[in-house]
């Protein structure tokens, strides 16, 4: 079950890290009122100044860097207060990694990276991609740094369900046909939420984006940088924008790639993302129907969409075998298709997997779904899904007050995406039952006084629709928009010399491209 809201980055196949979780937190306001001011969470968090005596021990700490076991990388542990409103109430331990700038050229300080999610491991992203795969001139002049956000991966991870229970959770029917199926879906969300509270109750109220942004400022100081230089993808753009909101005077060079729009409610975010996946599917279908082996036919994009919907109905009624104990039903099949929408490089794999599944053998789509969920061959899961829900359910009020709201919203979601809409509508129910009340609210972020911030949007991005990038760039008082006319999620490092040259120049020289600059897919 893919309870959706923001998403897995692709940057290259090596960079996979975020997710598309939906909905959010416990609360019944399905139409959360937007505000043009700083969120309540930001205001509360900011009541204790980072320069206060209460936080001095955190800002003055000297981490002990050690070998990571990964050649070239160092690791350390950063301490931050569990609760910024009560900094003497205990710590959280945050995993940090870095690779030092090797030159040539003058060192520019640290460049913090975050791949999105929420729930993606920034340390894993750094060691597996950014620290070795970012353009060489950038790595030559910056120490590349990452911190796993609180509640994520190596930083006191949120835990919710065991592997077998996660297997069951991901297979629950997310397009209920009757009251019994709707009740089963609600029960699954309730079990997941209760598991999070039982296994991670201490950290669960303190994994908001605001708190993680404050952790980043501690890291900035500990690294000896006056300003924060940062590249954030997908959800990482919301994290970076939140940092700019809290600390505009400490903004250095910020790249926000695959941007979120912080002014939207959970319901609007989910519905927009639904439309984004429809756009991505139509691009996939337009390519597929030109190939004689397209499993969705060669007639038209519309006919391909009808064929995929028919396939989903078939596996909903009768799941197909996969060669293991789990069968491929509608939920896992949908997740497998969605997972391949992030990067057009996965389209050939999706065509093959669909061909086999339509023929009655579902292992290919199951493998795509397992990759999306970060499920290992031994049946264990990374904490991506748990952390994703935990952060989302703090950051915004829930999309719905209950199943009746989801049922009422479903037609508008189906209008946004005839292929995926109903499933996305019901997925947004996940945070309705969350045990911790939300601390954030939808609001515009202006970050008055910040240095120029580069916002990057991809026109056919499935997970963070292009209009979100336009909106965030317009909200930020110093925002500059760079557009990539292409398929896939995010833009930097995905093969466009135009995009990479513009971002590299900004990171190395501090000069953003002209506002509105466009790059096209080769």
């Amino acid at each position: 079950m893919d309870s959706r809201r923001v998403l897995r980055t692709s940057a290259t196949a090596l960079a996979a890290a975020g997710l598309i979780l939906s909905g959010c937190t416990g609360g019944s306001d399905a139409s959360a009122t937007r505000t043009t001011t700083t969120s309540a969470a930001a205001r509360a968090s900011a009541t204790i100044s980072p320069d206060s005596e209460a936080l001095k021990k955190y800002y003055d700490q000297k981490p002990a860097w050690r070998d990571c076991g990964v050649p070239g990388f160092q690791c350390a542990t950063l301490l931050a207060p569990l609760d910024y409103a009560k900094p003497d109430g205990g710590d959280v331990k945050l995993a940090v990694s870095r690779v030092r700038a090797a030159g040539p050229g003058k060192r520019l300080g640290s460049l913090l990276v975050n791949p999105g999610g929420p729930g993606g491991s920034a340390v894993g992203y750094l060691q597996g991609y950014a620290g070795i795969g970012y353009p060489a001139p950038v790595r030559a002049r910056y120490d590349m740094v990452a911190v796993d956000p609180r509640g994520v991966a190596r930083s006191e991870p949120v835990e919710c369900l065991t592997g077998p229970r996660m297997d069951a959770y991901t297979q629950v029917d997310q397009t209920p046909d009757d009251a019994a199926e709707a009740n089963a879906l609600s029960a699954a969300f309730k079990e997941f939420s209760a598991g999070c509270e039982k296994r991670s109750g201490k950290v669960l109220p303190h994994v908001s984006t605001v708190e993680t942004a404050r952790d980043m400022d501690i890291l900035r100081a500990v690294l000896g940088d006056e300003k924060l230089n940062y590249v954030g993808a997908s959800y990482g753009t919301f994290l970076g924008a939140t940092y700019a909101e809290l600390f505009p005077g400490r903004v250095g060079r910020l790249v926000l790639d695959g941007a979120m729009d912080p002014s939207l409610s959970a319901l609007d975010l989910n519905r927009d993302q639904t439309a984004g996946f429809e756009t991505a599917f139509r691009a996939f279908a337009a390519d597929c129907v030109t190939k004689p082996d397209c499993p969705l036919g060669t007639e038209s994009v519309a006919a391909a969409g009808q064929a995929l919907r028919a396939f989903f109905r078939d596996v909903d009624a009768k799941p197909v075998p996969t060669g293991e104990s789990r069968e491929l039903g509608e939920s896992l099949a949908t997740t497998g298709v969605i997972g391949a929408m992030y990067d057009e490089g996965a389209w050939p794999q999706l065509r093959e997997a669909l061909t086999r599944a339509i023929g009655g053998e579902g292992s290919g789509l199951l493998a795509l779904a397992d990759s999306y969920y970060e499920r290992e061959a031994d049946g264990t899961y990374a904490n991506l899904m748990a952390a994703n829900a935990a952060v989302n359910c703090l950051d915004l009020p829930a999309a719905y007050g209950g199943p009746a709201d989801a049922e009422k919203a479903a037609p508008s979601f189906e209008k946004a995406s005839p292929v995926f809409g109903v499933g996305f509508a019901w997925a947004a129910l996940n945070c309705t039952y969350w045990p911790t009340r939300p601390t954030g609210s939808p609001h515009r972020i202006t970050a008055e006084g910040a240095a120029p911030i580069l916002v990057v949007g991809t026109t056919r991005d499935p997970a963070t629709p292009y209009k979100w990038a336009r909106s965030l760039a317009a909200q930020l008082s110093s925002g500059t928009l760079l557009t990539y006319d292409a398929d896939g999620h995010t833009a930097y490092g995905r093969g466009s010399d135009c995009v990479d040259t513009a971002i590299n120049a900004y990171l190395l020289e501090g000069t953003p491209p002209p506002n509105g600059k466009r790059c096209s897919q080769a």
Side-chain angles (χ1 to χ4, degrees), residues 101-241:
K106 180 181 178 182
R107 183 180 174 278
L108 295 174
S110 304
L111 180 64
L112 189 64
V113 295
N114 182 281
S121 170
V123 170
Y125 176 74
L126 176 74
Q127 295 176 356
Y129 170 65
I132 56 177
Y134 265 33
V138 173
R139 292 184 286 114
R141 299 183 63 190
Y142 282 103
D143 290 347
M144 302 288 294
V145 182
V147 54
D148 278 347
R150 50 176 64 208
V152 173
R154 301 163 179 83
S155 295
E156 306 202 13
V158 172
E159 305 285 350
C160 297
L161 298 179
T162 64
R165 293 313 304 159
M166 275 298 296
D167 279 347
Y169 179 75
T170 61
Q171 295 177 74
V172 174
D173 190 344
Q174 208 159 274
T175 57
D177 299 314
D178 52 36
E181 290 186 351
N183 290 338
L185 180 58
S186 293
F189 285 137
K190 289 175 182 178
E191 180 190 2
F192 187 88
S193 298
C196 299
E197 183 176 34
K198 179 180 179 179
R199 304 179 74 184
S200 303
K202 178 181 177 181
V203 72
L204 209 60
H206 300 293
V207 294
S208 70
T209 297
V210 164
E211 288 160 308
T212 294
R214 295 210 64 168
D215 296 342
M216 288 182 2
D217 195 57
I218 291 176
L219 179 57
R220 172 203 59 77
V222 166
L223 293 170
D225 294 324
E226 292 186 6
K227 307 277 187 177
L228 180 78
N229 302 308
Y230 174 82
V231 178
S234 196
Y235 160 79
T237 67
F238 179 48
L239 179 57

Side-chain angles (χ1 to χ4, degrees), residues 180-498:
E181 290 186 351
N183 290 338
L185 180 58
S186 293
F189 285 137
K190 289 175 182 178
E191 180 190 2
F192 187 88
S193 298
C196 299
E197 183 176 34
K198 179 180 179 179
R199 304 179 74 184
S200 303
K202 178 181 177 181
V203 72
L204 209 60
H206 300 293
V207 294
S208 70
T209 297
V210 164
E211 288 160 308
T212 294
R214 295 210 64 168
D215 296 342
M216 288 182 2
D217 195 57
I218 291 176
L219 179 57
R220 172 203 59 77
V222 166
L223 293 170
D225 294 324
E226 292 186 6
K227 307 277 187 177
L228 180 78
N229 302 308
Y230 174 82
V231 178
S234 196
Y235 160 79
T237 67
F238 179 48
L239 179 57
T242 299
Y243 181 89
E245 177 183 33
L246 292 171
F247 307 106
R250 295 176 181 174
V251 168
R253 300 168 188 178
L254 262 61
V255 178
L256 308 181
D257 182 13
M260 286 185 62
D261 183 350
S263 72
L264 297 178
S265 70
L267 182 62
D268 288 337
L269 281 168
N270 283 307
R271 195 155 39 208
D272 280 358
Q273 193 175 67
T274 303
F277 275 92
E278 180 69 18
T279 297
F281 169 73
R282 291 179 68 83
F284 162 74
D287 177 75
C288 187
V289 299
T290 66
K291 296 174 169 54
D293 63 343
C294 178
L296 303 177
T298 58
E299 180 182 341
S300 67
V301 170
Q306 292 170 2
L308 184 59
R309 293 198 300 276
F311 166 68
F312 287 154
R313 288 194 297 269
D314 289 345
V315 293
D316 184 29
K318 186 179 180 181
V320 298
T322 64
E324 58 171 271
S325 60
R326 291 176 299 152
E327 293 182 312
L328 184 79
E330 184 183 14
S331 288
L332 286 172
T334 302
T335 300
V337 173
I338 284 171
M341 292 294 102
Y342 286 90
D343 190 333
E344 65 274 20
W347 290 357
Q349 182 183 0
L350 177 59
R351 287 198 305 272
E352 180 183 356
L354 278 171
T355 298
R356 291 165 59 188
I358 291 170
E361 200 287 302
S363 63
L365 279 181
L366 181 64
L368 284 169
D370 284 352
S371 176
Y372 178 85
Y373 284 132
E374 295 193 358
R375 182 189 189 273
E376 301 296 335
D378 64 1
T380 60
Y381 288 75
N383 94 306
L384 173 64
M385 293 293 292
N388 193 302
V391 175
N392 283 332
C393 293
L394 277 182
D395 280 350
L396 284 177
Y400 307 132
D405 292 336
E407 186 172 11
K408 182 179 179 181
S412 67
F413 277 74
E414 192 169 18
K415 182 179 179 181
S417 173
V419 176
F420 304 115
V422 174
F424 270 76
W426 282 93
L429 185 65
N430 69 318
C431 286
T432 300
Y433 309 106
W434 202 248
T436 303
R437 292 183 61 83
T439 56
S441 61
H443 64 286
R444 293 175 60 84
I445 292 180
T446 60
E448 294 287 345
I453 297 173
L454 180 56
V455 179
V456 188
T458 300
T459 55
R460 294 180 296 282
D461 190 317
T464 51
Y466 175 62
K467 70 177 185 178
W468 290 359
R470 292 202 315 265
S471 179
L472 179 60
Q475 291 172 43
L476 291 166
S477 62
S478 59
T480 293
L481 178 64
L482 172 63
T483 296
Y484 184 34
D485 186 4
D487 299 298
H489 185 39
T490 71
Y492 191 38
R494 294 190 59 242
S496 169
D497 288 340
C498 175

